[in-house]
Short mmCIF file of all heavy atoms in Angstrom, two decimals:
data_model
loop_
_atom_site.label_atom_id
_atom_site.label_comp_id
_atom_site.label_asym_id
_atom_site.label_seq_id
_atom_site.Cartn_x
_atom_site.Cartn_y
_atom_site.Cartn_z
N PRO S 176 11.53 -8.16 21.93
CA PRO S 176 11.74 -9.58 21.62
C PRO S 176 12.52 -10.34 22.69
O PRO S 176 12.23 -11.51 22.96
CB PRO S 176 12.48 -9.54 20.29
CG PRO S 176 12.00 -8.29 19.64
CD PRO S 176 11.84 -7.30 20.77
N GLN S 177 13.50 -9.69 23.30
CA GLN S 177 14.27 -10.36 24.34
C GLN S 177 13.37 -10.89 25.45
O GLN S 177 13.65 -11.93 26.05
CB GLN S 177 15.32 -9.40 24.93
CG GLN S 177 16.48 -9.10 24.01
CD GLN S 177 16.23 -7.97 23.03
OE1 GLN S 177 15.08 -7.60 22.77
NE2 GLN S 177 17.29 -7.39 22.49
N ALA S 178 12.27 -10.19 25.72
CA ALA S 178 11.39 -10.57 26.82
C ALA S 178 10.60 -11.84 26.53
O ALA S 178 10.13 -12.49 27.47
CB ALA S 178 10.43 -9.43 27.14
N VAL S 179 10.42 -12.19 25.26
CA VAL S 179 9.62 -13.37 24.95
C VAL S 179 10.47 -14.57 24.54
O VAL S 179 9.94 -15.58 24.10
CB VAL S 179 8.56 -13.08 23.86
CG1 VAL S 179 7.57 -12.06 24.34
CG2 VAL S 179 9.21 -12.64 22.56
N MET S 180 11.79 -14.47 24.70
CA MET S 180 12.63 -15.61 24.35
C MET S 180 12.28 -16.88 25.12
O MET S 180 12.32 -17.97 24.54
CB MET S 180 14.11 -15.25 24.52
CG MET S 180 14.70 -14.41 23.41
SD MET S 180 14.49 -15.13 21.75
CE MET S 180 13.05 -14.21 21.15
N PRO S 181 11.92 -16.81 26.41
CA PRO S 181 11.51 -18.05 27.07
C PRO S 181 10.33 -18.73 26.38
O PRO S 181 10.30 -19.97 26.25
CB PRO S 181 11.13 -17.58 28.49
CG PRO S 181 11.99 -16.37 28.71
CD PRO S 181 12.02 -15.68 27.37
N LYS S 182 9.37 -17.94 25.90
CA LYS S 182 8.22 -18.53 25.20
C LYS S 182 8.64 -19.11 23.85
O LYS S 182 8.12 -20.16 23.43
CB LYS S 182 7.13 -17.48 24.99
CG LYS S 182 6.44 -17.04 26.27
CD LYS S 182 5.29 -16.09 25.96
CE LYS S 182 4.52 -15.74 27.22
NZ LYS S 182 3.35 -14.87 26.94
N ILE S 183 9.55 -18.44 23.16
CA ILE S 183 10.03 -18.97 21.89
C ILE S 183 10.78 -20.27 22.11
O ILE S 183 10.63 -21.25 21.36
CB ILE S 183 10.94 -17.92 21.19
CG1 ILE S 183 10.11 -16.72 20.74
CG2 ILE S 183 11.69 -18.54 20.01
CD1 ILE S 183 9.09 -17.02 19.66
N MET S 184 11.59 -20.31 23.15
CA MET S 184 12.39 -21.50 23.40
C MET S 184 11.57 -22.68 23.90
O MET S 184 11.89 -23.83 23.60
CB MET S 184 13.51 -21.18 24.41
CG MET S 184 14.45 -20.06 23.95
SD MET S 184 15.11 -20.31 22.28
CE MET S 184 16.16 -21.72 22.56
N ASN S 185 10.48 -22.41 24.66
CA ASN S 185 9.67 -23.54 25.14
C ASN S 185 8.51 -23.89 24.21
O ASN S 185 7.74 -24.81 24.49
CB ASN S 185 9.18 -23.30 26.58
CG ASN S 185 8.15 -22.18 26.69
OD1 ASN S 185 7.45 -21.83 25.74
ND2 ASN S 185 8.04 -21.60 27.89
N GLY S 186 8.37 -23.13 23.11
CA GLY S 186 7.36 -23.47 22.12
C GLY S 186 5.99 -22.89 22.36
O GLY S 186 5.07 -23.15 21.57
N MET S 188 5.24 -19.81 22.11
CA MET S 188 5.09 -18.79 21.07
C MET S 188 5.87 -19.28 19.85
O MET S 188 7.01 -19.72 19.98
CB MET S 188 5.59 -17.43 21.53
CG MET S 188 5.44 -16.33 20.48
SD MET S 188 5.89 -14.68 21.14
CE MET S 188 4.44 -14.35 22.18
N PHE S 191 7.47 -14.22 15.98
CA PHE S 191 7.31 -12.89 16.56
C PHE S 191 7.89 -11.85 15.63
O PHE S 191 8.79 -12.12 14.83
CB PHE S 191 8.01 -12.81 17.93
CG PHE S 191 9.49 -13.07 17.87
CD1 PHE S 191 10.39 -12.02 17.95
CD2 PHE S 191 9.98 -14.36 17.73
CE1 PHE S 191 11.75 -12.24 17.89
CE2 PHE S 191 11.34 -14.60 17.67
CZ PHE S 191 12.24 -13.53 17.74
N THR S 193 10.25 -8.87 15.03
CA THR S 193 11.47 -8.43 15.67
C THR S 193 12.19 -7.40 14.82
O THR S 193 12.21 -7.50 13.59
CB THR S 193 12.42 -9.62 15.94
OG1 THR S 193 13.64 -9.13 16.52
CG2 THR S 193 12.75 -10.38 14.67
N SER S 197 17.36 -6.33 17.33
CA SER S 197 17.10 -7.34 18.36
C SER S 197 17.49 -8.73 17.90
O SER S 197 18.10 -9.49 18.66
CB SER S 197 15.62 -7.32 18.75
OG SER S 197 15.31 -6.17 19.50
N LEU S 198 17.15 -9.08 16.67
CA LEU S 198 17.50 -10.41 16.17
C LEU S 198 19.01 -10.61 16.19
O LEU S 198 19.51 -11.65 16.65
CB LEU S 198 16.94 -10.61 14.77
CG LEU S 198 17.13 -12.00 14.18
CD1 LEU S 198 15.89 -12.44 13.40
CD2 LEU S 198 18.34 -12.07 13.23
N LEU S 199 19.75 -9.63 15.70
CA LEU S 199 21.21 -9.74 15.68
C LEU S 199 21.78 -9.77 17.09
O LEU S 199 22.71 -10.53 17.38
CB LEU S 199 21.81 -8.57 14.90
CG LEU S 199 21.51 -8.52 13.40
CD1 LEU S 199 22.00 -7.21 12.79
CD2 LEU S 199 22.13 -9.70 12.66
N ALA S 200 21.21 -8.97 17.99
CA ALA S 200 21.71 -8.92 19.36
C ALA S 200 21.44 -10.22 20.11
O ALA S 200 22.30 -10.70 20.86
CB ALA S 200 21.08 -7.74 20.10
N ILE S 201 20.26 -10.79 19.92
CA ILE S 201 19.93 -12.05 20.60
C ILE S 201 20.85 -13.16 20.12
O ILE S 201 21.40 -13.93 20.92
CB ILE S 201 18.45 -12.41 20.38
CG1 ILE S 201 17.55 -11.42 21.14
CG2 ILE S 201 18.16 -13.84 20.85
CD1 ILE S 201 16.09 -11.50 20.76
N ASN S 202 21.04 -13.26 18.82
CA ASN S 202 21.95 -14.28 18.30
C ASN S 202 23.37 -14.04 18.76
O ASN S 202 24.12 -14.98 19.07
CB ASN S 202 21.86 -14.34 16.79
CG ASN S 202 20.62 -15.06 16.29
OD1 ASN S 202 20.01 -15.84 17.03
ND2 ASN S 202 20.23 -14.80 15.06
N ASP S 203 23.78 -12.79 18.81
CA ASP S 203 25.13 -12.45 19.25
C ASP S 203 25.36 -12.84 20.70
O ASP S 203 26.45 -13.28 21.09
CB ASP S 203 25.37 -10.95 19.07
CG ASP S 203 26.75 -10.49 19.51
OD1 ASP S 203 27.73 -10.83 18.81
OD2 ASP S 203 26.86 -9.80 20.54
N SER S 204 24.32 -12.71 21.51
CA SER S 204 24.44 -13.01 22.94
C SER S 204 24.46 -14.51 23.22
O SER S 204 24.89 -14.93 24.30
CB SER S 204 23.27 -12.39 23.71
OG SER S 204 22.06 -13.09 23.44
N GLY S 205 23.96 -15.31 22.27
CA GLY S 205 23.87 -16.74 22.48
C GLY S 205 22.64 -17.16 23.24
O GLY S 205 22.46 -18.34 23.56
N ALA S 206 21.74 -16.22 23.52
CA ALA S 206 20.54 -16.54 24.29
C ALA S 206 19.59 -17.44 23.51
O ALA S 206 18.79 -18.18 24.09
CB ALA S 206 19.82 -15.26 24.68
N ALA S 207 19.64 -17.39 22.19
CA ALA S 207 18.78 -18.22 21.34
C ALA S 207 19.41 -18.27 19.95
O ALA S 207 20.31 -17.49 19.63
CB ALA S 207 17.38 -17.64 21.26
N LYS S 208 18.95 -19.22 19.16
CA LYS S 208 19.35 -19.30 17.75
C LYS S 208 18.11 -19.00 16.92
O LYS S 208 17.21 -19.82 16.81
CB LYS S 208 19.91 -20.68 17.42
CG LYS S 208 21.24 -20.98 18.09
CD LYS S 208 21.79 -22.33 17.65
CE LYS S 208 23.16 -22.58 18.27
NZ LYS S 208 23.72 -23.89 17.85
N LEU S 209 18.09 -17.78 16.37
CA LEU S 209 16.92 -17.30 15.65
C LEU S 209 17.21 -17.19 14.16
O LEU S 209 18.35 -17.01 13.75
CB LEU S 209 16.50 -15.94 16.18
CG LEU S 209 16.21 -15.85 17.68
CD1 LEU S 209 15.90 -14.40 18.06
CD2 LEU S 209 15.06 -16.77 18.08
N LYS S 210 16.14 -17.26 13.38
CA LYS S 210 16.23 -17.04 11.95
C LYS S 210 15.19 -16.00 11.53
O LYS S 210 14.06 -15.98 12.03
CB LYS S 210 15.92 -18.34 11.19
CG LYS S 210 16.96 -19.45 11.37
CD LYS S 210 18.23 -19.16 10.59
CE LYS S 210 19.14 -20.39 10.57
NZ LYS S 210 20.39 -20.14 9.83
N LEU S 211 15.60 -15.15 10.59
CA LEU S 211 14.63 -14.28 9.94
C LEU S 211 13.76 -15.15 9.06
O LEU S 211 14.25 -15.87 8.19
CB LEU S 211 15.35 -13.23 9.09
CG LEU S 211 14.43 -12.44 8.14
CD1 LEU S 211 13.47 -11.58 8.93
CD2 LEU S 211 15.25 -11.61 7.17
N GLY S 329 10.54 -13.34 13.11
CA GLY S 329 11.57 -14.27 13.56
C GLY S 329 10.98 -15.55 14.10
O GLY S 329 9.87 -15.58 14.62
N VAL S 330 11.75 -16.62 13.96
CA VAL S 330 11.42 -17.92 14.54
C VAL S 330 12.72 -18.54 15.03
O VAL S 330 13.81 -18.08 14.67
CB VAL S 330 10.75 -18.87 13.51
CG1 VAL S 330 9.42 -18.32 13.04
CG2 VAL S 330 11.67 -19.12 12.32
N SER S 331 12.62 -19.59 15.80
CA SER S 331 13.82 -20.28 16.25
C SER S 331 14.22 -21.35 15.23
O SER S 331 13.38 -21.88 14.49
CB SER S 331 13.61 -20.94 17.61
OG SER S 331 12.75 -22.06 17.50
N GLU S 332 15.50 -21.65 15.19
CA GLU S 332 15.97 -22.73 14.32
C GLU S 332 15.29 -24.04 14.67
O GLU S 332 14.92 -24.83 13.79
CB GLU S 332 17.48 -22.89 14.45
CG GLU S 332 18.30 -21.77 13.83
CD GLU S 332 19.79 -22.06 13.88
OE1 GLU S 332 20.17 -23.16 14.35
OE2 GLU S 332 20.58 -21.19 13.46
N ALA S 333 15.11 -24.29 15.96
CA ALA S 333 14.49 -25.54 16.40
C ALA S 333 13.05 -25.64 15.91
O ALA S 333 12.60 -26.73 15.48
CB ALA S 333 14.53 -25.63 17.92
N TRP S 334 12.32 -24.52 15.92
CA TRP S 334 10.93 -24.54 15.46
C TRP S 334 10.87 -24.86 13.97
O TRP S 334 10.02 -25.63 13.53
CB TRP S 334 10.28 -23.19 15.75
CG TRP S 334 8.82 -23.13 15.42
CD1 TRP S 334 7.79 -23.49 16.24
CD2 TRP S 334 8.23 -22.69 14.19
NE1 TRP S 334 6.59 -23.30 15.59
CE2 TRP S 334 6.83 -22.82 14.34
CE3 TRP S 334 8.74 -22.23 13.00
CZ2 TRP S 334 5.93 -22.48 13.32
CZ3 TRP S 334 7.86 -21.89 11.98
CH2 TRP S 334 6.48 -22.01 12.14
N LYS S 409 29.18 -8.14 20.12
CA LYS S 409 30.52 -8.59 20.48
C LYS S 409 31.38 -8.85 19.24
O LYS S 409 32.60 -8.73 19.30
CB LYS S 409 30.43 -9.86 21.33
CG LYS S 409 29.86 -9.63 22.72
CD LYS S 409 29.76 -10.91 23.51
CE LYS S 409 28.66 -11.82 22.97
NZ LYS S 409 28.42 -12.99 23.84
N ARG S 410 30.73 -9.20 18.14
CA ARG S 410 31.47 -9.53 16.93
C ARG S 410 30.64 -9.16 15.71
O ARG S 410 29.41 -9.07 15.80
CB ARG S 410 31.82 -11.01 16.90
CG ARG S 410 30.59 -11.91 16.86
CD ARG S 410 30.91 -13.36 17.03
NE ARG S 410 31.36 -13.64 18.38
CZ ARG S 410 30.52 -13.88 19.38
NH1 ARG S 410 29.20 -13.83 19.21
NH2 ARG S 410 30.98 -14.14 20.58
N GLN S 416 23.77 -16.12 7.62
CA GLN S 416 23.54 -17.29 8.47
C GLN S 416 22.31 -17.11 9.37
O GLN S 416 21.93 -18.04 10.07
CB GLN S 416 24.77 -17.57 9.33
CG GLN S 416 26.04 -17.85 8.54
CD GLN S 416 25.89 -19.04 7.64
OE1 GLN S 416 25.46 -20.12 8.06
NE2 GLN S 416 26.24 -18.88 6.36
N GLN S 417 21.73 -15.92 9.33
CA GLN S 417 20.60 -15.64 10.22
C GLN S 417 19.28 -15.50 9.46
O GLN S 417 18.29 -15.06 10.01
CB GLN S 417 20.90 -14.37 11.03
CG GLN S 417 22.20 -14.52 11.81
CD GLN S 417 22.46 -13.42 12.81
OE1 GLN S 417 21.53 -12.92 13.46
NE2 GLN S 417 23.71 -13.06 12.99
#
Side-chain angles (χ1 to χ4, degrees):
Q177 288 85 342
V179 297
M180 283 305 99
K182 291 185 175 183
I183 292 295
M184 301 309 291
N185 69 23
M188 180 174 286
F191 60 103
T193 177
S197 288
L198 185 140
L199 293 172
I201 291 168
N202 283 339
D203 180 71
S204 72
K208 292 184 177 180
L209 304 176
K210 293 286 191 180
L211 169 66
V330 296
S331 71
E332 288 186 3
W334 185 86
K409 291 178 289 188
R410 62 188 69 85
Q416 300 301 310
Q417 303 190 37

